[in-house]
Amino acid sequence: MKKIAFYDAKAYDKVWFDQWNEGRFKIKYLEHKLTEDTALMAKGYDAVCAFVNDQLDRTVIDLLYEQGIRAVALRCTGYNNVDLDAAEGKLAVYRVPAYSPYAVAEHAIALLQTLNRKIHRAYIRTRDYNFSLERLIGSDLNGKTVGVIGTGKIGKVFIKICEGFGMRVLAYDPYPAADLNVEYVSLEQLLEESDIISMHCPLTRESYHMINADTLAKMKNSAILINTSRGALVNSKDLADALEDGQIAGACLDVYEEETDMFFEDQSDQVRKDEILVKLISLPNVIVTSHQAYLTHEALSNIAKTSLDNLEAFFEGRECENIIRKSEF
Ligand code: NAI
């Protein structure tokens, strides 16, 4: 039986992987993230299962290859954490291209409405038997303009939800979707005209820090930025400054550019903290969740099933459309 070294395992992963495994593989759940220091733990295994904050750079890939690993099943959509050049000819890298675009799009809306309607503050107040409505005023979404950056699977679902709210939708994507009836505009126009801007594009060399001091300066002072995609799409320092200076009105963040060693873990006892994140979290007009957008029962189930099917296809030598081919990026 083939053996899988499963890095960064959480209890909620095990539930679904055990259920869908159906005796196909021997899975060793490791709590450690995959790094240069932990790659040797894959010795004696046939494949690795990794997540968003596992590190698959050249050093780690070479170490895995030397241990006899030939396949990596990413249990996520994005693969910005993998050096595909280094993996070429050594490791077959698979991903889960779609497990629930609804999970992420719906979480983006949950963050937006929490911030917009001040639900987080109301929750704390009513628990304290404080029923005052002072400073809880929000805005109707109906009639507002939402700018969607990236109109792939998640962006499309997000757009549909926004249309349900009666919003005007603007979209920016270098590869517009032929099957989407939406007003595509330049990034500049989107930034200038949108009341809400939501990011649904991958992190690439081109999109790194696409939200920075210059692009933030183009947004309305009343704009709310939502990022449920990847932290490094946004220059966090520039964002914190823009929020503090009132250049934009708020931010909903499910991802953070320096999240790797923090998100998914209980860090409440840590004294030394990331200064920019501390600042962002302290602002009343910022909501942060720790890369939680994907976390629904449906998504976790689909992730487990697809990841295991990907590995099965690899070991049986079958074609699998979920392999990441270098020619595609
Ligand atoms: P997708 O591949 O279906 O769509 C991405 C879209 O972004 C494509 O239409 C593409 O043309 C467009 N795009 C590429 N470069 C762009 C750029 N520079 N500017 C604007 N648009 C650009 O991907 P999907 O499934 O919609 O996921 C989007 C992103 O969401 C993923 O790359 C991932 O980073 C993030 N994600 C976050 C999760 C979370 O839990 N927070 C879970 C799943 C995905």
Side-chain angles (χ1 to χ4, degrees):
M1 189 184 289
K2 297 293 182 190
K3 293 196 284 182
I4 315 296
F6 191 110
Y7 282 89
D8 201 10
K10 299 283 184 280
Y12 45 80
D13 293 317
K14 292 181 201 170
V15 171
W16 294 104
F17 274 82
D18 284 346
Q19 183 165 320
W20 282 111
N21 187 24
E22 293 163 337
R24 285 181 283 180
F25 303 107
K26 191 169 185 329
I27 304 176
K28 174 77 175 175
Y29 294 106
L30 303 163
E31 286 182 11
H32 302 275
K33 286 194 173 59
L34 176 58
T35 65
E36 206 176 315
D37 298 325
T38 61
L40 291 179
M41 295 170 92
K43 190 175 171 62
Y45 290 85
D46 301 291
V48 153
C49 185
F51 196 44
V52 287
N53 290 327
D54 287 315
Q55 178 191 330
L56 281 141
D57 57 16
R58 186 172 289 278
T59 311
V60 171
I61 286 170
D62 286 346
L63 282 169
L64 291 177
Y65 185 71
E66 284 162 22
Q67 310 310 309
I69 300 293
R70 294 292 179 266
V72 173
L74 294 175
R75 49 183 194 279
C76 53
T77 304
Y79 47 87
N80 52 284
N81 54 335
V82 185
D83 183 338
L84 290 172
D85 282 324
E88 183 82 354
K90 290 186 174 159
L91 301 181
V93 183
Y94 296 85
R95 67 174 181 140
V96 184
Y99 43 83
S100 173
Y102 310 102
V104 183
E106 289 171 15
H107 190 77
I109 293 290
L111 288 175
L112 171 63
Q113 285 296 66
T114 302
L115 190 69
N116 171 36
R117 302 304 302 267
K118 321 259 186 302
I119 304 297
H120 54 313
R121 304 179 80 176
Y123 173 77
I124 304 281
R125 279 192 198 179
T126 53
R127 285 172 73 87
D128 198 28
Y129 232 65
N130 172 356
F131 304 112
S132 158
L133 296 182
E134 293 298 332
R135 299 184 306 282
L136 293 185
I137 303 171
S139 299
D140 288 3
L141 292 185
N142 182 53
K144 295 292 183 305
T145 299
V146 60
V148 180
I149 300 178
T151 55
K153 290 176 285 296
I154 296 170
K156 280 181 187 159
V157 174
F158 183 80
I159 287 171
K160 208 169 158 191
I161 297 172
C162 290
E163 286 170 344
F165 277 112
M167 303 177 85
R168 173 186 175 224
V169 180
L170 299 178
Y172 168 73
D173 194 314
Y175 310 99
D179 59 346
L180 191 64
N181 183 18
V182 72
E183 188 180 348
Y184 278 105
V185 294
S186 66
L187 181 60
E188 193 169 0
Q189 188 183 342
L190 182 148
L191 297 173
E192 285 171 2
E193 291 186 19
S194 299
D195 301 298
I196 290 135
I197 295 166
S198 195
M199 315 205 55
H200 300 290
C201 60
L203 175 62
T204 60
R205 265 180 227 111
E206 293 72 39
S207 63
Y208 175 77
H209 279 187
M210 73 190 292
I211 301 300
N212 54 46
D214 289 342
T215 44
L216 285 158
K218 292 192 167 73
M219 295 181 197
K220 292 182 180 182
N221 293 150
S222 55
I224 292 178
L225 176 73
I226 310 170
N227 186 9
T228 54
S229 279
R230 283 294 179 269
L233 292 169
V234 178
N235 180 322
S236 319
K237 167 138 192 354
D238 290 356
L239 174 65
D241 291 344
L243 286 159
E244 214 173 35
D245 296 347
Q247 216 166 64
I248 68 166
C252 305
L253 307 173
D254 186 51
V255 284
Y256 177 64
E257 61 179 321
E258 301 299 334
E259 73 179 49
T260 306
D261 294 329
M262 294 183 281
F263 281 19
F264 308 119
E265 310 300 335
D266 180 356
Q267 302 254 317
S268 50
D269 288 342
Q270 292 284 331
V271 176
R272 196 182 286 263
K273 294 191 166 80
D274 180 295
E275 281 178 21
I276 297 173
L277 187 59
V278 166
K279 185 169 167 184
L280 284 168
I281 288 171
S282 73
L283 297 173
N285 50 351
V286 174
I287 293 278
V288 175
T289 50
S290 59
H291 211 130
Q292 183 190 333
Y294 76 102
L295 201 71
T296 65
H297 296 299
E298 293 80 0
L300 288 169
S301 173
N302 290 336
I303 287 170
K305 181 175 187 315
T306 308
S307 302
L308 292 164
D309 288 350
N310 289 344
L311 287 171
E312 187 179 80
F314 173 79
F315 288 118
E316 291 181 356
R318 280 188 277 114
E319 278 288 311
C320 176
E321 60 183 6
N322 298 335
I323 193 161
I324 306 170
R325 294 191 196 287
K326 261 197 73 188
S327 55
E328 285 170 11
F329 69 97

